[in-house]
Amino acid sequence: MANLFDWVNERAPNLAPTFRKHMTEYYAPKNFNLWYYFGSLAILVLVNQIVTGIFLTMNYKTSALEAFNSVEYIMRDVEWGWLIRYMHSTGASLFFVVVFLHMFRGIMYGSFKRPRELVWILGMLIFLVLMAEAFMGYVLPWGNMSFWGAKVIISLFGTIPYIGPGLVEWIMGDFLPADATLNRFFALHVIALPLVLLLLVVLHLAALHEVGSNNPDGVDVKHGPKGNRWDASKPLDAIPFHPYYTVKDLVGVGFFLLIAAFIIFFAPTFGGWFLEHDNFTPANNLVTPTHIKPSWYFTPFYAILRMIPSFFGTAIWGVIGMFGSILMLALLPWLDRGEVRSVRFRGMGYRIALAVLVISFLSLGAVGAGVTAELIPEWFPGADATTLENAFGRIMTLAYFGFFIFIWVYTHFGLEKTKPVPERVTMHD
Ligand code: HEM
Protein backbone atom coordinates (compact mmCIF):
# COMPACT_ATOMS: atom_id res chain seq x y z
CA MET A 1 0.00 0.00 0.00
CA ALA A 2 2.82 2.39 0.90
CA ASN A 3 4.51 1.71 -2.42
CA LEU A 4 1.29 2.27 -4.30
CA PHE A 5 0.74 5.52 -2.40
CA ASP A 6 4.27 6.71 -3.26
CA TRP A 7 3.78 5.73 -6.89
CA VAL A 8 0.58 7.79 -7.14
CA ASN A 9 2.05 10.64 -5.11
CA GLU A 10 5.01 10.98 -7.44
CA ARG A 11 2.73 11.30 -10.43
CA ALA A 12 -0.04 13.39 -8.80
CA PRO A 13 1.62 15.28 -5.94
CA ASN A 14 -1.43 17.52 -5.37
CA LEU A 15 -3.90 14.72 -4.73
CA ALA A 16 -3.04 13.91 -1.12
CA PRO A 17 -2.80 17.58 -0.03
CA THR A 18 -6.19 18.29 -1.66
CA PHE A 19 -7.75 15.36 0.19
CA ARG A 20 -6.19 16.51 3.47
CA LYS A 21 -7.35 20.08 2.88
CA HIS A 22 -10.96 18.93 2.63
CA MET A 23 -10.89 16.31 5.40
CA THR A 24 -8.32 16.37 8.22
CA GLU A 25 -7.38 19.98 7.61
CA TYR A 26 -10.93 21.20 7.09
CA TYR A 27 -11.76 22.74 10.43
CA ALA A 28 -15.50 22.85 11.13
CA PRO A 29 -17.16 24.56 14.11
CA LYS A 30 -17.33 22.18 17.06
CA ASN A 31 -20.99 22.83 17.86
CA PHE A 32 -22.76 21.11 14.94
CA ASN A 33 -26.06 19.60 16.05
CA LEU A 34 -28.59 17.14 14.54
CA TRP A 35 -29.42 19.58 11.74
CA TYR A 36 -25.92 19.19 10.33
CA TYR A 37 -26.51 15.54 9.46
CA PHE A 38 -28.59 16.28 6.41
CA GLY A 39 -25.78 17.43 4.09
CA SER A 40 -23.92 14.14 4.35
CA LEU A 41 -27.23 12.24 4.22
CA ALA A 42 -28.06 14.04 0.96
CA ILE A 43 -24.77 12.74 -0.48
CA LEU A 44 -25.66 9.23 0.73
CA VAL A 45 -29.07 9.35 -0.96
CA LEU A 46 -27.56 10.76 -4.14
CA VAL A 47 -25.15 7.83 -4.31
CA ASN A 48 -28.01 5.40 -3.58
CA GLN A 49 -30.08 6.88 -6.41
CA ILE A 50 -27.22 6.58 -8.88
CA VAL A 51 -26.28 3.00 -7.93
CA THR A 52 -29.85 1.64 -7.79
CA GLY A 53 -30.66 3.64 -10.94
CA ILE A 54 -27.88 1.89 -12.86
CA PHE A 55 -29.30 -1.51 -11.90
CA LEU A 56 -32.86 -0.47 -12.75
CA THR A 57 -31.68 0.69 -16.17
CA MET A 58 -30.34 -2.81 -16.87
CA ASN A 59 -33.88 -4.19 -17.03
CA TYR A 60 -36.07 -1.17 -17.77
CA LYS A 61 -37.38 -0.77 -21.34
CA THR A 62 -37.63 2.78 -22.66
CA SER A 63 -40.74 2.50 -24.77
CA ALA A 64 -44.34 3.48 -24.22
CA LEU A 65 -45.33 -0.08 -25.13
CA GLU A 66 -42.92 -1.85 -22.80
CA ALA A 67 -42.04 0.52 -19.95
CA PHE A 68 -44.89 -0.35 -17.55
CA ASN A 69 -44.45 -4.10 -18.00
CA SER A 70 -40.68 -3.88 -17.71
CA VAL A 71 -41.12 -2.28 -14.28
CA GLU A 72 -43.51 -5.08 -13.27
CA TYR A 73 -40.91 -7.53 -14.56
CA ILE A 74 -38.26 -5.88 -12.38
CA MET A 75 -40.63 -6.17 -9.40
CA ARG A 76 -41.59 -9.80 -9.91
CA ASP A 77 -38.98 -11.66 -11.94
CA VAL A 78 -35.62 -9.90 -11.71
CA GLU A 79 -33.59 -11.24 -8.76
CA TRP A 80 -33.76 -8.61 -6.00
CA GLY A 81 -35.42 -6.30 -8.53
CA TRP A 82 -38.13 -5.35 -6.02
CA LEU A 83 -35.45 -4.25 -3.55
CA ILE A 84 -33.60 -2.19 -6.12
CA ARG A 85 -36.80 -0.48 -7.20
CA TYR A 86 -38.04 0.18 -3.68
CA MET A 87 -34.61 1.54 -2.72
CA HIS A 88 -34.85 3.92 -5.68
CA SER A 89 -38.46 5.00 -5.13
CA THR A 90 -38.05 5.37 -1.35
CA GLY A 91 -34.73 7.12 -1.97
CA ALA A 92 -36.48 9.71 -4.15
CA SER A 93 -38.89 10.66 -1.35
CA LEU A 94 -36.22 10.56 1.34
CA PHE A 95 -34.02 12.76 -0.85
CA PHE A 96 -36.64 15.49 -0.55
CA VAL A 97 -37.17 14.89 3.18
CA VAL A 98 -33.42 15.33 3.68
CA VAL A 99 -33.09 18.31 1.34
CA PHE A 100 -36.09 20.15 2.84
CA LEU A 101 -34.61 19.73 6.33
CA HIS A 102 -31.17 20.75 5.01
CA MET A 103 -32.66 23.93 3.50
CA PHE A 104 -34.64 24.69 6.64
CA ARG A 105 -31.45 24.41 8.70
CA GLY A 106 -29.88 26.96 6.34
CA ILE A 107 -32.77 29.38 6.87
CA MET A 108 -32.87 28.80 10.64
CA TYR A 109 -29.18 29.50 11.19
CA GLY A 110 -28.76 32.13 8.45
CA SER A 111 -26.31 29.93 6.54
CA PHE A 112 -27.33 31.66 3.29
CA LYS A 113 -25.98 35.00 4.50
CA ARG A 114 -22.65 36.54 3.61
CA PRO A 115 -20.17 34.98 2.89
CA ARG A 116 -22.17 31.83 1.95
CA GLU A 117 -24.50 33.28 -0.71
CA LEU A 118 -22.80 31.21 -3.41
CA VAL A 119 -23.26 28.02 -1.38
CA TRP A 120 -26.95 28.89 -1.13
CA ILE A 121 -27.39 29.74 -4.82
CA LEU A 122 -25.67 26.51 -5.85
CA GLY A 123 -27.99 24.73 -3.40
CA MET A 124 -31.01 26.31 -5.06
CA LEU A 125 -29.75 25.21 -8.48
CA ILE A 126 -29.36 21.70 -7.05
CA PHE A 127 -32.94 21.93 -5.80
CA LEU A 128 -34.25 22.94 -9.25
CA VAL A 129 -32.36 20.15 -11.01
CA LEU A 130 -33.49 17.69 -8.34
CA MET A 131 -37.11 18.62 -8.99
CA ALA A 132 -36.67 18.14 -12.75
CA GLU A 133 -34.89 14.84 -12.10
CA ALA A 134 -37.68 13.56 -9.82
CA PHE A 135 -40.42 14.67 -12.20
CA MET A 136 -38.85 12.90 -15.17
CA GLY A 137 -38.14 9.77 -13.16
CA TYR A 138 -41.78 9.65 -12.14
CA VAL A 139 -42.83 9.55 -15.80
CA LEU A 140 -40.63 6.54 -16.64
CA PRO A 141 -42.79 3.68 -15.20
CA TRP A 142 -45.50 4.94 -17.59
CA GLY A 143 -48.29 4.44 -15.08
CA ASN A 144 -51.47 6.44 -15.40
CA MET A 145 -50.28 9.13 -12.99
CA SER A 146 -46.96 9.29 -14.87
CA PHE A 147 -48.88 10.09 -18.03
CA TRP A 148 -51.29 12.62 -16.53
CA GLY A 149 -48.65 14.21 -14.33
CA ALA A 150 -46.49 14.75 -17.40
CA LYS A 151 -49.50 16.13 -19.29
CA VAL A 152 -50.38 18.66 -16.59
CA ILE A 153 -46.83 19.82 -15.87
CA ILE A 154 -45.68 20.11 -19.47
CA SER A 155 -48.93 21.90 -20.36
CA LEU A 156 -48.01 24.63 -17.85
CA PHE A 157 -45.55 25.92 -20.42
CA GLY A 158 -48.57 26.43 -22.71
CA THR A 159 -49.57 29.46 -20.60
CA ILE A 160 -46.54 31.42 -21.87
CA PRO A 161 -47.83 33.97 -24.42
CA TYR A 162 -47.07 33.33 -28.12
CA ILE A 163 -44.53 30.55 -27.81
CA GLY A 164 -46.42 28.46 -25.20
CA PRO A 165 -48.37 25.98 -27.37
CA GLY A 166 -45.39 25.39 -29.68
CA LEU A 167 -43.14 24.92 -26.68
CA VAL A 168 -45.43 22.24 -25.21
CA GLU A 169 -45.36 20.29 -28.47
CA TRP A 170 -41.58 20.70 -28.68
CA ILE A 171 -41.04 19.40 -25.14
CA MET A 172 -43.35 16.41 -25.65
CA GLY A 173 -42.20 15.68 -29.19
CA ASP A 174 -45.86 14.85 -29.85
CA PHE A 175 -49.35 16.18 -29.11
CA LEU A 176 -49.60 14.13 -25.91
CA PRO A 177 -47.00 12.60 -23.62
CA ALA A 178 -45.93 9.69 -25.81
CA ASP A 179 -43.08 7.44 -26.79
CA ALA A 180 -40.91 10.40 -27.87
CA THR A 181 -41.51 12.09 -24.49
CA LEU A 182 -40.60 8.94 -22.61
CA ASN A 183 -37.36 8.50 -24.56
CA ARG A 184 -36.12 12.03 -24.03
CA PHE A 185 -37.10 11.99 -20.35
CA PHE A 186 -35.13 8.77 -19.98
CA ALA A 187 -32.05 10.38 -21.53
CA LEU A 188 -32.36 13.38 -19.24
CA HIS A 189 -33.18 11.38 -16.10
CA VAL A 190 -30.49 8.75 -16.51
CA ILE A 191 -27.51 10.72 -17.73
CA ALA A 192 -27.87 14.46 -18.36
CA LEU A 193 -29.41 15.63 -15.08
CA PRO A 194 -27.43 13.28 -12.78
CA LEU A 195 -24.22 14.65 -14.33
CA VAL A 196 -25.35 18.22 -13.73
CA LEU A 197 -26.42 17.28 -10.21
CA LEU A 198 -23.05 15.74 -9.39
CA LEU A 199 -21.20 18.73 -10.77
CA LEU A 200 -23.37 21.13 -8.77
CA VAL A 201 -22.84 19.14 -5.55
CA VAL A 202 -19.06 19.29 -6.06
CA LEU A 203 -19.28 23.06 -6.62
CA HIS A 204 -21.61 23.40 -3.61
CA LEU A 205 -19.04 21.76 -1.36
CA ALA A 206 -16.10 23.57 -2.94
CA ALA A 207 -17.89 26.89 -2.34
CA LEU A 208 -18.59 25.88 1.27
CA HIS A 209 -14.99 24.89 1.92
CA GLU A 210 -13.76 28.24 0.55
CA VAL A 211 -15.57 30.12 3.32
CA GLY A 212 -16.06 27.43 5.98
CA SER A 213 -19.21 26.12 7.62
CA ASN A 214 -21.67 28.18 9.57
CA ASN A 215 -23.02 26.69 12.84
CA PRO A 216 -26.11 26.74 15.10
CA ASP A 217 -24.91 29.93 16.83
CA GLY A 218 -24.16 31.67 13.55
CA VAL A 219 -20.86 32.79 15.10
CA ASP A 220 -17.86 33.29 12.83
CA VAL A 221 -15.38 30.85 14.36
CA LYS A 222 -12.72 32.10 11.95
CA HIS A 223 -12.87 35.52 13.55
CA GLY A 224 -12.81 34.08 17.08
CA PRO A 225 -9.70 33.14 19.10
CA LYS A 226 -7.06 30.91 17.51
CA GLY A 227 -4.93 28.27 19.24
CA ASN A 228 -6.56 25.01 18.21
CA ARG A 229 -5.31 21.87 19.97
CA TRP A 230 -4.34 20.20 16.66
CA ASP A 231 -3.10 23.23 14.80
CA ALA A 232 -2.46 26.44 16.73
CA SER A 233 -3.13 28.59 13.65
CA LYS A 234 -6.72 27.30 13.42
CA PRO A 235 -9.76 28.61 15.34
CA LEU A 236 -10.17 27.42 18.89
CA ASP A 237 -13.85 26.63 18.36
CA ALA A 238 -13.30 24.26 15.43
CA ILE A 239 -12.39 20.58 15.07
CA PRO A 240 -10.90 18.64 12.12
CA PHE A 241 -13.67 17.31 9.90
CA HIS A 242 -11.97 13.92 9.80
CA PRO A 243 -12.18 11.93 12.04
CA TYR A 244 -14.58 13.94 14.24
CA TYR A 245 -17.39 14.71 11.84
CA THR A 246 -16.92 11.65 9.65
CA VAL A 247 -17.58 9.56 12.76
CA LYS A 248 -20.46 11.76 13.89
CA ASP A 249 -22.03 11.63 10.41
CA LEU A 250 -21.81 7.83 10.51
CA VAL A 251 -24.16 7.85 13.50
CA GLY A 252 -26.64 9.85 11.41
CA VAL A 253 -26.17 7.40 8.54
CA GLY A 254 -26.95 4.50 10.90
CA PHE A 255 -30.23 6.05 12.09
CA PHE A 256 -31.15 7.08 8.57
CA LEU A 257 -30.55 3.59 7.15
CA LEU A 258 -32.73 2.10 9.90
CA ILE A 259 -35.62 4.35 8.94
CA ALA A 260 -35.05 3.78 5.22
CA ALA A 261 -34.88 -0.01 5.70
CA PHE A 262 -38.09 0.05 7.71
CA ILE A 263 -39.90 1.87 4.90
CA ILE A 264 -38.38 -0.25 2.13
CA PHE A 265 -39.21 -3.57 3.81
CA PHE A 266 -42.48 -2.82 5.60
CA ALA A 267 -44.17 0.15 3.91
CA PRO A 268 -42.63 0.70 0.46
CA THR A 269 -45.58 2.65 -0.93
CA PHE A 270 -45.90 4.55 2.39
CA GLY A 271 -49.68 4.48 2.17
CA GLY A 272 -49.66 5.80 -1.39
CA TRP A 273 -47.38 8.76 -0.55
CA PHE A 274 -44.10 7.38 -1.89
CA LEU A 275 -45.65 5.32 -4.72
CA GLU A 276 -49.15 6.46 -5.68
CA HIS A 277 -51.93 3.91 -6.13
CA ASP A 278 -52.88 5.37 -9.53
CA ASN A 279 -49.42 4.60 -10.84
CA PHE A 280 -50.00 0.87 -10.54
CA THR A 281 -52.27 1.02 -13.61
CA PRO A 282 -50.74 1.54 -17.05
CA ALA A 283 -50.85 4.94 -18.76
CA ASN A 284 -54.14 5.55 -20.53
CA ASN A 285 -54.80 8.77 -22.39
CA LEU A 286 -58.57 8.12 -22.31
CA VAL A 287 -58.92 7.63 -18.54
CA THR A 288 -58.06 10.52 -16.23
CA PRO A 289 -57.28 9.59 -12.60
CA THR A 290 -59.95 10.99 -10.24
CA HIS A 291 -57.45 13.31 -8.54
CA ILE A 292 -54.39 14.26 -10.55
CA LYS A 293 -51.76 15.28 -8.04
CA PRO A 294 -48.00 15.27 -8.05
CA SER A 295 -45.71 13.42 -5.63
CA TRP A 296 -45.92 14.79 -2.07
CA TYR A 297 -42.71 16.84 -2.36
CA PHE A 298 -44.19 18.97 -5.14
CA THR A 299 -47.55 19.54 -3.46
CA PRO A 300 -46.76 22.88 -1.71
CA PHE A 301 -45.71 24.41 -5.04
CA TYR A 302 -48.59 22.71 -6.87
CA ALA A 303 -51.05 24.17 -4.34
CA ILE A 304 -49.75 27.69 -5.06
CA LEU A 305 -50.28 27.00 -8.76
CA ARG A 306 -53.87 25.89 -8.13
CA MET A 307 -54.77 28.61 -5.65
CA ILE A 308 -53.90 31.57 -7.88
CA PRO A 309 -56.89 32.15 -10.17
CA SER A 310 -56.77 32.97 -13.87
CA PHE A 311 -57.44 36.55 -14.85
CA PHE A 312 -57.04 38.67 -17.99
CA GLY A 313 -57.90 35.43 -19.78
CA THR A 314 -54.74 33.58 -18.86
CA ALA A 315 -53.67 31.01 -16.27
CA ILE A 316 -50.05 32.16 -16.33
CA TRP A 317 -50.33 33.82 -12.88
CA GLY A 318 -50.45 30.46 -11.14
CA VAL A 319 -47.35 29.35 -13.01
CA ILE A 320 -45.57 32.61 -12.13
CA GLY A 321 -46.65 32.14 -8.49
CA MET A 322 -45.32 28.60 -8.43
CA PHE A 323 -41.91 29.47 -9.86
CA GLY A 324 -41.94 32.70 -7.84
CA SER A 325 -42.27 30.70 -4.62
CA ILE A 326 -38.98 28.96 -5.44
CA LEU A 327 -37.34 32.18 -6.63
CA MET A 328 -38.16 33.79 -3.26
CA LEU A 329 -36.06 31.13 -1.53
CA ALA A 330 -33.17 31.76 -3.92
CA LEU A 331 -33.35 35.51 -3.20
CA LEU A 332 -33.25 35.08 0.59
CA PRO A 333 -29.66 36.34 0.97
CA TRP A 334 -30.78 39.67 -0.52
CA LEU A 335 -34.22 39.83 1.06
CA ASP A 336 -32.95 39.17 4.56
CA ARG A 337 -30.37 41.83 5.43
CA GLY A 338 -30.39 41.16 9.18
CA GLU A 339 -26.90 41.25 10.67
CA VAL A 340 -27.51 38.31 13.00
CA ARG A 341 -27.46 34.86 11.43
CA SER A 342 -28.88 32.34 13.87
CA VAL A 343 -32.51 32.28 14.97
CA ARG A 344 -31.12 31.86 18.51
CA PHE A 345 -30.22 35.55 18.63
CA ARG A 346 -32.75 37.04 16.23
CA GLY A 347 -35.80 39.16 17.00
CA MET A 348 -39.19 37.79 18.01
CA GLY A 349 -40.64 38.99 14.68
CA TYR A 350 -38.25 36.72 12.83
CA ARG A 351 -39.09 33.72 14.99
CA ILE A 352 -42.82 34.18 14.45
CA ALA A 353 -42.30 34.70 10.70
CA LEU A 354 -40.25 31.49 10.49
CA ALA A 355 -43.05 29.57 12.23
CA VAL A 356 -45.54 31.07 9.75
CA LEU A 357 -43.32 29.96 6.86
CA VAL A 358 -43.25 26.38 8.13
CA ILE A 359 -47.01 26.29 8.84
CA SER A 360 -47.89 27.77 5.44
CA PHE A 361 -45.54 25.40 3.60
CA LEU A 362 -46.99 22.32 5.35
CA SER A 363 -50.56 23.57 4.88
CA LEU A 364 -49.98 24.18 1.18
CA GLY A 365 -48.55 20.67 0.98
CA ALA A 366 -51.78 19.34 2.49
CA VAL A 367 -53.90 21.37 0.06
CA GLY A 368 -51.86 20.21 -2.94
CA ALA A 369 -52.01 16.59 -1.86
CA GLY A 370 -55.80 16.70 -1.53
CA VAL A 371 -55.77 16.22 2.25
CA THR A 372 -57.92 19.31 2.84
CA ALA A 373 -60.33 18.27 0.07
CA GLU A 374 -60.88 15.05 2.03
CA LEU A 375 -61.02 16.54 5.52
CA ILE A 376 -63.14 19.66 4.96
CA PRO A 377 -66.42 17.79 4.19
CA GLU A 378 -65.79 15.68 7.31
CA TRP A 379 -64.98 18.61 9.60
CA PHE A 380 -67.51 21.09 8.18
CA PRO A 381 -70.44 19.03 6.90
CA GLY A 382 -72.79 21.05 4.69
CA ALA A 383 -70.20 23.77 3.93
CA ASP A 384 -69.09 24.49 0.37
CA ALA A 385 -65.87 22.47 0.41
CA THR A 386 -64.31 24.13 -2.65
CA THR A 387 -64.86 27.65 -1.32
CA LEU A 388 -63.42 26.72 2.05
CA GLU A 389 -60.42 24.99 0.51
CA ASN A 390 -59.72 27.93 -1.78
CA ALA A 391 -59.98 30.37 1.12
CA PHE A 392 -57.59 28.31 3.22
CA GLY A 393 -55.16 27.70 0.34
CA ARG A 394 -55.11 31.37 -0.61
CA ILE A 395 -54.49 32.54 2.94
CA MET A 396 -51.60 30.08 3.17
CA THR A 397 -50.24 31.27 -0.19
CA LEU A 398 -50.33 34.84 1.12
CA ALA A 399 -48.68 33.71 4.35
CA TYR A 400 -45.88 31.97 2.40
CA PHE A 401 -45.11 35.04 0.30
CA GLY A 402 -45.79 37.21 3.34
CA PHE A 403 -42.75 35.69 5.05
CA PHE A 404 -40.42 37.02 2.38
CA ILE A 405 -42.05 40.46 2.23
CA PHE A 406 -42.03 40.72 6.02
CA ILE A 407 -38.36 39.73 6.25
CA TRP A 408 -37.44 42.36 3.69
CA VAL A 409 -39.31 45.14 5.50
CA TYR A 410 -38.20 43.92 8.94
CA THR A 411 -34.49 43.87 8.10
CA HIS A 412 -34.26 46.76 5.60
CA PHE A 413 -35.84 49.29 7.92
CA GLY A 414 -33.98 48.19 11.03
CA LEU A 415 -37.09 46.97 12.87
CA GLU A 416 -35.45 43.83 14.25
CA LYS A 417 -34.39 43.82 17.92
CA THR A 418 -31.70 41.15 18.10
CA LYS A 419 -29.98 39.64 21.13
CA PRO A 420 -26.23 40.14 21.56
CA VAL A 421 -24.28 37.49 19.62
CA PRO A 422 -21.56 35.85 21.75
CA GLU A 423 -17.90 36.07 20.73
CA ARG A 424 -17.52 32.29 20.72
CA VAL A 425 -19.86 29.35 20.11
CA THR A 426 -22.05 28.65 23.13
CA MET A 427 -20.75 25.08 23.60
CA HIS A 428 -17.39 24.97 25.37
CA ASP A 429 -16.94 21.34 26.39
C1 HEM B 1 -28.09 16.94 -3.56
C2 HEM B 1 -28.38 17.85 -2.70
C3 HEM B 1 -27.43 18.45 -1.70
C4 HEM B 1 -26.28 17.90 -1.18
C5 HEM B 1 -25.67 16.53 -1.47
C6 HEM B 1 -25.74 18.86 -0.25
C7 HEM B 1 -24.59 18.66 0.51
C8 HEM B 1 -24.14 19.50 1.49
C9 HEM B 1 -23.12 19.18 2.47
C10 HEM B 1 -22.39 17.84 2.57
C11 HEM B 1 -22.94 20.26 3.26
C12 HEM B 1 -21.99 20.37 4.44
C13 HEM B 1 -22.61 19.67 5.63
C14 HEM B 1 -23.77 20.42 6.21
O1 HEM B 1 -23.61 21.61 6.48
O2 HEM B 1 -24.85 19.81 6.37
C15 HEM B 1 -23.84 21.29 2.79
C16 HEM B 1 -23.96 22.57 3.32
C17 HEM B 1 -24.87 23.53 2.92
N1 HEM B 1 -25.88 23.36 2.00
FE1 HEM B 1 -26.20 21.69 0.88
N2 HEM B 1 -26.53 19.98 -0.24
C18 HEM B 1 -27.58 19.77 -1.10
C19 HEM B 1 -28.62 20.63 -1.36
C20 HEM B 1 -28.74 21.91 -0.84
C21 HEM B 1 -29.83 22.80 -1.08
C22 HEM B 1 -31.03 22.46 -1.95
C23 HEM B 1 -29.58 23.95 -0.37
C24 HEM B 1 -30.39 25.21 -0.29
C25 HEM B 1 -30.84 25.86 -1.23
C26 HEM B 1 -28.32 23.78 0.31
C27 HEM B 1 -27.73 24.74 1.12
C28 HEM B 1 -26.61 24.53 1.91
C29 HEM B 1 -26.01 25.51 2.80
C30 HEM B 1 -26.47 26.96 3.00
C31 HEM B 1 -24.92 24.89 3.42
C32 HEM B 1 -23.98 25.51 4.48
C33 HEM B 1 -24.59 25.23 5.81
C34 HEM B 1 -23.83 25.76 6.99
O3 HEM B 1 -22.61 25.91 6.91
O4 HEM B 1 -24.52 26.04 8.01
N3 HEM B 1 -27.84 22.53 0.02
N4 HEM B 1 -24.57 20.81 1.71
Side-chain angles (χ1 to χ4, degrees), residues 36 39 42 95 102-103 105 111 123-124 126 204-205 208 213-214:
Y36 278 74
F95 213 154
H102 185 69
M103 291 167 80
R105 180 279 316 262
S111 301
M124 284 310 301
I126 293 178
H204 183 62
L205 292 177
L208 178 70
S213 299
N214 185 31

Side-chain angles (χ1 to χ4, degrees), residues 59-76 85 138-147 179 182 276-284:
N59 291 290
Y60 170 80
K61 294 279 168 60
T62 329
S63 127
L65 280 179
E66 293 177 285
F68 186 86
N69 286 338
S70 75
V71 174
E72 287 304 301
Y73 170 71
I74 290 171
M75 293 297 289
R76 291 156 204 267
R85 192 204 178 195
Y138 190 74
V139 176
L140 298 185
W142 212 237
N144 210 23
M145 199 60 101
S146 303
F147 177 89
D179 198 61
L182 188 61
E276 282 89 347
H277 301 313
D278 275 312
N279 233 22
F280 287 92
T281 35
N284 186 341

Side-chain angles (χ1 to χ4, degrees), residues 26 32 35-44 46 95 99-100 102-107 109-113 116 119-128 130 197 201 204-205 208-209 212-216 241 249 329-330:
Y26 179 67
F32 281 178
W35 291 97
Y36 278 74
Y37 279 137
F38 299 110
S40 56
L41 290 180
I43 297 182
L44 176 74
L46 180 62
F95 213 154
V99 165
F100 281 142
H102 185 69
M103 291 167 80
F104 179 66
R105 180 279 316 262
I107 300 177
Y109 296 145
S111 301
F112 55 83
K113 286 172 183 264
R116 297 181 188 82
V119 182
W120 181 257
I121 287 298
L122 286 163
M124 284 310 301
L125 288 176
I126 293 178
F127 187 58
L128 277 182
L130 195 61
L197 211 49
V201 169
H204 183 62
L205 292 177
L208 178 70
H209 284 204
S213 299
N214 185 31
N215 61 77
F241 185 82
D249 281 349
L329 286 169

Side-chain angles (χ1 to χ4, degrees), residues 263-425:
I263 297 170
I264 291 166
F265 293 121
F266 296 107
T269 67
F270 214 65
W273 287 86
F274 286 9
L275 280 171
E276 282 89 347
H277 301 313
D278 275 312
N279 233 22
F280 287 92
T281 35
N284 186 341
N285 61 15
L286 298 177
V287 179
T288 321
T290 339
H291 300 290
I292 300 184
K293 54 177 201 261
S295 307
W296 68 267
Y297 36 83
F298 291 135
T299 53
F301 308 107
Y302 182 62
I304 293 177
L305 168 80
R306 271 187 38 207
M307 286 302 133
I308 300 179
S310 302
F311 45 93
F312 300 127
T314 164
I316 199 168
W317 313 111
V319 181
I320 292 175
M322 182 173 72
F323 285 108
S325 65
I326 299 165
L327 182 68
M328 286 292 135
L329 286 169
L331 292 180
L332 256 182
W334 296 276
L335 293 174
D336 179 355
R337 305 304 282 189
E339 292 283 319
V340 173
R341 291 200 189 95
S342 171
V343 66
R344 291 181 177 177
F345 309 108
R346 295 200 65 165
M348 188 47 91
Y350 181 80
R351 289 158 176 246
I352 295 170
L354 193 59
V356 168
L357 178 74
V358 173
I359 293 167
S360 65
F361 191 73
L362 295 177
S363 304
L364 285 167
V367 170
V371 174
T372 42
E374 233 171 74
L375 290 182
I376 288 175
E378 229 174 81
W379 290 356
F380 307 98
D384 179 348
T386 311
T387 312
L388 264 187
E389 190 187 40
N390 282 349
F392 180 67
R394 283 172 188 161
I395 290 170
M396 288 303 143
T397 304
L398 286 176
Y400 178 86
F401 284 103
F403 169 80
F404 298 94
I405 298 168
F406 171 79
I407 288 303
W408 186 80
V409 174
Y410 192 54
T411 57
H412 269 75
F413 297 102
L415 304 176
E416 183 172 16
K417 282 202 184 59
T418 57
K419 294 185 195 154
V421 180
E423 290 283 305
R424 297 184 53 188
V425 300

